Amino acid sequence: MASDLANADVRLTVAQNFRTLASSTDEKDIIAALQTLLSFVNDGPGTTVTSAQRSEFNKAHYTRTLQFLVSNIQADWLKKLSAGQRAELWDSLFLKGPPEQTLLVLMEAIGELRPSGSLDRIVNITERFLQSGRLADLLWAYCLQTSFSDSVQLRETLLSRICALPDLTANKLHPNNRPLFSPQQYYPLLAKEMLTALERTCQALRDGTNCSLMFVAQTFGKVCIQGHSDAIMASMAPHLSACTFNDMVWQRVCWKLLENVPQRWMESVLTGLVQAVHGPDALGRIIGNLVLTNKTAQFVITHKVLLLQYKYKTQVLRTILSYLAADRDRRPLLIQVLRSVSQAWANPSAIKHTPVEQQFYVSKALLLSVSLLKDSELQELRSELLQCMLGGMQSHLDSSVVRIRNMGMVVGECLSSRMDFGGIKLKFEYEQDEETRELLFLMNPDPCEESEPEPGIGVCSSEESDPSPQKESSQPKLKTDPESELDSDDDLTPYDMSEDVKMSKASQPRYLRDCLEILLSSADPERVELSLRAAEGLVRKNSFAAKEISVQMTKVLLHMEDKYSIDGFLNLRQATMVALTVTDCLPVTQYLTSEFYSLNYSLRQRLDILEVLALAAQELSKPDAGDKTPLMNSVPSTEISPYPGDNPVHWRQVVEKRIQSKTKYISKGASQPAPKGTRSRYAAVAGYFFFPLLRNYDKPQVTFDLLGSDHLVLGRLIHTLGIFMHLAVNAPIAAQMGCALLDFIWTVRYHTDQMVRRGILFAVCSVFLSMPSHSLLVDLSDQLFETRTWLADVAESDPDADCRSLAVQSLVLLDESLKKQLQGSKQPSLDS
């Protein structure tokens, strides 16, 4: 009964003060009314308001009071107050009541008011609200509520206002937003306020007071899921790591905080945390054994971060796996992770269909997991790791991508070294680069990772950090015999012999037939080398003699092996075959293209045929300047690489150059005279290079299966055909070549090997660049829609970044060609 009377008194008092403020013109009455309202939220000494009255006002009338003040922000009675009186009476009502209600009213006012002095005043109040620590008071108030009395909808609204305050204010105040409301300042402030609330919680637990971290955990999770985990974790992670170092209460609070994060936001919290913490020890202190009690956390830590995502740094992998290995209860999860990662690493389908970057990431996870195993665990997993190593190495070595093959070799070496098969260790020959060195380094403990220092204790003393200049490192001096110095020859200047020519008993052949005879019958390494070095020059100087023996010599060179380890053997042999092909084009080309599908050739020889044909076609397509000097002594430079390998930069530049060449530029005149046109020697013979290579591709031979396991040769064949197509621009046979090439690649467009797909897309680019626009519409009208759909699908979903880029370029070229043709087909008409 007494509480009802108190409630009625509060309601009556509030109503009377509202009437006074709305109708009175007396400044004293206005001040008295504001002071009466302020007394309900001011719990300082000397107040006459009881706790029951204050509770009733806060629960039922505080929001209504603030809304009344906002609605009367332009009233005459407020203008009568001085700046000091407004700050003491009007502003204090916003800064001393329940902070959750204040924040909701302020955000509602910012959203409704138009740009004006009223809006500026509300914004100023909001700034003071944030700067005075009221967010920490808000969070702490919810920590004291072990059971929530307000509605779920109210908490959700409040949560969204707290977490999205920079977005809400930016949408309303742009371009005059306040710096405090920017994400760069607001979210570190929010992190600081959350830490304050957690500190108060720790103190309350020490004093025996029960607390709830549900609302703080919800705020923590919602901010992270909205994409601000970096800013939040940058402030919170170091502080939590330091506070939990020797304080079990802080550890308990952190564990409870993470447990209360809603499941739908757990991933964003954990991924942000593992990137921000110093190391596995700090992660273990902050989250405890969360991976054992929370299924979502276990899935994120042991599966998603390791196998489904690959954007994290190596230190994140090391932190996660070391965290799993640091506790006896968590070590079974490390074994589980190792099994999953090893299966993913050895999966042939994953090697073909996942990006190389992801495979490198999985390789790092595998090696780190193995490095953390104990010897007893290694023995239990010995058979599984052996199966993974053998199967995975085979799948990696079968790949046509150099990076993938290197990963297989390095991981195989590391696994065999760790498992120690009776002292037998695998050793491969590969060129070390940054990736291989990083993989090898993972098997060793990280020397840069030092133990985390205790808070307040420096990591090094002043003497170590600031060495005195007077302390010099004393190195032992070498004792020398004074008599030995007299007999020393060190002071004599050596004679310069850098330009001396080594005398050779054999002489360089002067006739091409002599070169052929020596290459056929001689067993003298010196004579063979001299003949090989002279061959190209002799071919180019005497085309008549070269044509007599061109096919025979090409056959000899194609079957020739480097038995004498001649320096630059492959380049010398290739340059001579290119010279023969250019000099006597039709016979040599017919021989090489017919031998490509013949029996008893190695894959290396078939690749040599493709490279020679590609280089010869490029030389024939260039203007003939009459320069007969040999191309050797340096690697031939071409505009289009015979094969891109793992770096398709060359042919992408060619495609972009051709796109730019098709773009029309409006200028006042030519800056230089136009180059004189020359006839292309390649245009007349393009068909002899191109069409024979399309025969028999679908007929597997005894030692050669182009559409089967020999995908390396298939990729290079398609790329070579693309080069032939590119060089045939403006040739009469270009349209026929383009139709045939598209028909061929259409059957293998979804090939599993990414190098084959790169070659296919390069060939498509070549078709769209070189084939006349009208031929695209006339000859390929039935295929264009399906081709465009396929290219769009590749551009969106292919796992290889270069394939996606080439697909986009192909779409651009196709659209430009069709647009050009359609615009050209519109003829002006006369009205009847």
Side-chain angles (χ1 to χ4, degrees):
M1 189 68 179
S3 62
D4 293 339
L5 291 175
N7 295 343
D9 290 342
V10 172
R11 185 165 57 251
L12 180 60
T13 303
V14 171
Q16 290 176 346
N17 284 282
F18 281 3
R19 284 195 298 270
T20 301
L21 292 173
S23 59
S24 178
T25 58
D26 189 354
E27 182 179 345
K28 294 182 179 180
D29 293 340
I30 294 170
I31 294 176
L34 290 174
Q35 288 176 339
T36 302
L37 294 173
L38 185 60
S39 65
F40 285 108
V41 296
N42 193 352
D43 56 354
T47 181
T48 59
V49 178
T50 64
S51 59
Q53 291 175 328
R54 183 176 295 107
S55 176
E56 172 64 16
F57 178 81
N58 290 339
K59 182 173 63 175
H61 304 285
Y62 182 66
T63 296
R64 194 160 58 93
T65 301
L66 296 184
Q67 291 173 341
F68 175 82
L69 295 178
V70 171
S71 63
N72 288 273
I73 196 170
Q74 290 290 351
D76 293 337
W77 57 267
L78 184 59
K79 304 297 182 182
K80 294 180 179 181
L81 300 179
S82 64
Q85 290 173 331
R86 284 197 297 268
E88 180 183 356
L89 300 175
W90 198 86
D91 294 359
S92 296
L93 278 167
F94 287 89
L95 301 176
K96 292 189 176 181
E100 67 278 5
Q101 298 182 48
T102 303
L103 181 63
L104 291 175
V105 172
L106 289 174
M107 296 308 299
E108 181 183 10
I110 291 176
E112 291 180 353
L113 292 175
R114 295 184 178 276
S116 60
S118 302
L119 179 60
D120 292 341
R121 184 155 189 82
I122 294 296
V123 170
N124 292 336
I125 292 293
T126 307
E127 272 193 308
R128 290 185 58 188
F129 178 87
L130 297 176
Q131 293 169 343
S132 59
R134 296 297 284 161
L135 276 180
D137 296 337
L138 188 157
L139 297 171
W140 171 237
Y142 274 95
C143 290
L144 291 176
Q145 299 179 20
T146 54
S147 60
F148 295 118
S149 58
D150 54 355
S151 65
V152 177
Q153 292 80 3
L154 178 62
R155 288 199 307 277
E156 287 294 333
T157 303
L158 180 61
L159 199 62
S160 64
R161 297 296 185 271
I162 294 175
C163 299
L165 187 144
D167 297 330
L168 298 173
T169 55
N171 291 337
K172 185 65 180 181
L173 303 178
H174 181 77
N176 300 316
N177 199 10
R178 303 295 174 88
L180 183 61
F181 299 156
S182 65
Q184 294 78 11
Q185 292 192 25
Y186 175 76
Y187 289 110
L189 171 67
L190 179 59
K192 177 184 175 183
E193 303 292 74
M194 285 193 286
L195 289 171
T196 301
L198 294 178
E199 176 64 44
R200 294 177 184 177
T201 301
C202 291
Q203 188 59 45
L205 292 176
R206 294 187 182 96
D207 296 338
T209 303
N210 292 332
C211 296
S212 171
L213 292 173
M214 182 65 70
F215 189 79
V216 179
Q218 290 175 347
T219 305
F220 190 29
K222 193 172 183 67
V223 171
C224 290
I225 196 63
Q226 290 180 347
H228 305 291
S229 60
D230 292 345
I232 291 291
M233 294 299 179
S235 299
M236 292 191 67
H239 191 87
L240 295 179
S241 176
C243 291
T244 56
F245 195 83
N246 284 321
D247 194 330
M248 286 302 300
V249 176
W250 259 105
Q251 291 185 22
R252 179 186 169 194
V253 167
C254 289
W255 299 350
K256 198 67 177 177
L257 175 69
L258 271 297
E259 289 176 8
N260 286 332
V261 172
Q263 297 298 313
R264 62 187 184 277
W265 300 333
M266 182 64 74
E267 178 185 348
S268 59
V269 172
L270 288 178
T271 53
L273 186 61
V274 296
Q275 295 179 81
V277 294
H278 179 270
D281 294 338
L283 181 64
R285 294 196 304 269
I286 294 173
I287 71 173
N289 284 335
L290 184 68
V291 291
L292 301 178
T293 59
N294 189 295
K295 292 299 182 183
T296 303
Q298 184 179 122
F299 174 75
V300 170
I301 292 293
T302 65
H303 187 79
K304 193 163 189 178
V305 173
L306 300 176
L307 293 175
L308 302 183
Q309 299 173 341
Y310 54 95
K311 61 182 179 180
Y312 303 105
K313 297 181 180 179
T314 305
Q315 185 57 40
V316 175
L317 286 175
R318 191 184 295 274
T319 297
I320 290 175
L321 295 172
S322 300
Y323 159 75
L324 296 177
D327 185 82
R328 181 181 60 184
D329 296 332
R330 298 194 294 262
R331 285 198 74 86
L333 292 179
L334 177 65
I335 306 300
Q336 174 185 327
V337 165
L338 177 59
R339 287 194 172 102
S340 301
V341 172
S342 62
Q343 291 174 4
W345 184 81
N347 188 347
S349 178
I351 295 173
K352 293 179 180 178
H353 297 98
T354 57
V356 180
E357 293 77 13
Q358 185 172 4
Q359 297 178 45
F360 179 60
Y361 186 83
V362 172
S363 300
K364 292 191 291 185
L366 174 60
L367 294 182
L368 281 171
S369 302
V370 172
S371 69
L372 294 169
L373 289 181
K374 299 177 181 178
D375 292 338
S376 58
E377 296 169 334
L378 195 62
Q379 291 300 323
E380 294 177 5
L381 298 169
R382 187 184 183 90
S383 61
E384 297 180 39
L385 288 176
L386 178 60
Q387 183 178 2
C388 161
M389 182 183 74
L390 297 179
M393 282 176 51
Q394 182 63 43
S395 300
H396 281 76
L397 294 177
D398 286 343
S399 174
S400 60
V401 183
V402 176
R403 291 174 62 190
I404 296 178
R405 294 201 297 271
N406 287 345
M407 287 179 211
M409 290 186 280
V410 174
V411 174
E413 284 184 1
C414 294
L415 291 181
S416 67
S417 174
R418 184 71 174 87
M419 289 187 288
D420 191 15
F421 297 105
I424 301 176
K425 298 180 181 180
L426 296 176
K427 187 64 179 176
F428 297 95
E429 292 184 4
Y430 51 86
E431 184 177 353
Q432 288 202 5
D433 53 18
E434 185 177 351
E435 286 188 355
T436 57
R437 284 191 290 270
E438 183 176 0
L439 290 175
L440 292 169
F441 177 75
L442 294 177
M443 293 300 292
N444 303 318
D446 188 0
C448 300
E449 184 178 352
E450 302 175 355
S451 58
E452 190 173 358
E454 253 184 84
I457 300 179
V459 295
C460 62
S461 63
S462 59
E463 292 183 1
E464 294 174 340
S465 59
D466 186 18
S468 173
Q470 297 176 352
K471 294 181 180 180
E472 297 180 359
S473 58
S474 59
Q475 298 180 353
K477 297 182 179 180
L478 298 176
K479 297 182 179 180
T480 58
D481 186 2
E483 295 184 0
S484 65
E485 295 181 359
L486 298 177
D487 297 334
S488 174
D489 293 336
D490 292 344
D491 294 336
L492 298 178
T493 303
Y495 187 77
D496 185 9
M497 303 177 65
S498 60
E499 297 183 0
D500 284 9
V501 180
K502 182 179 178 181
M503 298 299 295
S504 174
K505 295 181 180 179
S507 59
Q508 194 175 58
R510 293 182 295 173
Y511 298 98
L512 192 58
R513 282 193 177 273
D514 293 341
C515 287
L516 178 61
E517 291 297 329
I518 293 173
L519 295 178
L520 274 173
S521 58
S522 178
D524 185 354
E526 191 173 357
R527 293 186 66 197
V528 172
E529 180 176 355
L530 289 173
S531 298
L532 196 59
R533 294 190 181 279
E536 183 199 359
L538 294 175
V539 170
R540 296 185 181 276
K541 288 179 180 178
N542 193 340
S543 60
F544 180 78
K547 290 179 180 180
E548 290 182 346
I549 59 171
S550 59
V551 175
Q552 185 182 5
M553 191 164 189
T554 302
K555 182 177 181 180
V556 171
L557 291 170
L558 182 62
H559 291 81
M560 189 176 180
E561 298 179 356
D562 188 14
K563 296 186 295 184
Y564 308 115
S565 300
I566 298 174
D567 186 25
F569 171 81
L570 294 178
N571 289 334
L572 291 168
R573 184 177 66 122
Q574 183 185 82
T576 305
M577 286 195 287
V578 170
L580 288 166
T581 308
V582 172
T583 302
D584 196 14
C585 185
L586 293 184
V588 177
T589 301
Q590 289 172 348
Y591 168 75
L592 290 175
T593 53
S594 63
E595 293 299 299
F596 180 75
Y597 289 107
S598 298
L599 297 175
N600 301 324
Y601 277 93
S602 67
L603 297 182
R604 178 65 262 175
Q605 288 173 311
R606 301 184 200 276
L607 295 177
D608 289 339
I609 291 174
L610 295 177
E611 291 177 2
V612 168
L613 290 173
L615 290 170
Q618 291 178 67
E619 184 175 343
L620 288 171
S621 66
K622 295 179 180 179
D624 186 9
D627 185 7
K628 301 298 183 180
T629 58
L631 297 178
M632 265 315 299
N633 299 331
S634 63
V635 180
S637 60
T638 58
E639 290 185 2
I640 309 177
S641 173
Y643 187 68
D646 286 332
N647 184 13
V649 173
H650 301 292
W651 35 287
R652 186 180 300 128
Q653 289 176 347
V654 171
V655 172
E656 292 175 354
K657 185 188 297 183
R658 291 297 305 275
I659 293 175
Q660 293 175 2
S661 68
K662 289 177 175 288
T663 305
K664 294 182 179 179
Y665 297 93
I666 300 175
S667 60
K668 294 183 179 179
S671 57
Q672 58 185 6
K676 183 179 180 181
T678 58
R679 181 179 179 182
S680 171
R681 294 177 291 163
Y682 171 73
V685 295
Y688 294 95
F689 283 81
F690 183 84
F691 290 106
L693 291 178
L694 290 178
R695 301 179 195 152
N696 303 325
Y697 67 87
D698 55 347
K699 296 180 181 180
Q701 307 296 330
V702 177
T703 59
F704 181 47
D705 186 6
L706 194 63
L707 297 183
S709 58
D710 297 323
H711 46 75
L712 174 62
V713 184
L714 175 62
R716 297 207 181 186
L717 170 63
I718 296 174
H719 185 268
T720 303
L721 293 172
I723 292 177
F724 295 156
M725 184 72 232
H726 171 76
L727 298 175
V729 61
N730 299 325
I733 202 172
Q736 186 179 352
M737 291 173 61
C739 294
L741 183 55
L742 283 183
D743 287 340
F744 168 53
I745 65 178
W746 192 253
T747 60
V748 292
R749 66 188 185 280
Y750 290 115
H751 202 281
T752 56
D753 188 85
Q754 65 182 14
M755 296 308 298
V756 175
R757 297 198 305 275
R758 286 184 187 178
I760 290 170
L761 291 164
F762 169 70
V764 172
C765 284
S766 300
V767 171
F768 293 158
L769 279 169
S770 304
M771 196 169 175
S773 300
H774 66 274
S775 297
L776 284 176
L777 280 176
V778 175
D779 300 333
L780 300 176
S781 57
D782 297 335
Q783 304 177 23
L784 286 183
F785 178 75
E786 292 183 2
T787 302
R788 200 181 191 289
T789 304
W790 162 64
L791 288 173
D793 180 63
V794 173
E796 181 179 357
S797 59
D798 195 282
D800 184 64
D802 291 315
C803 290
R804 295 194 298 270
S805 176
L806 283 170
V808 172
Q809 293 184 18
S810 299
L811 288 171
V812 172
L813 290 171
L814 177 59
D815 291 345
E816 288 293 330
S817 296
L818 296 179
K819 182 179 178 181
K820 176 182 178 182
Q821 179 61 24
L822 292 174
Q823 288 178 347
S825 63
K826 295 179 180 179
Q827 300 295 335
S829 61
L830 295 175
D831 294 336
S832 59

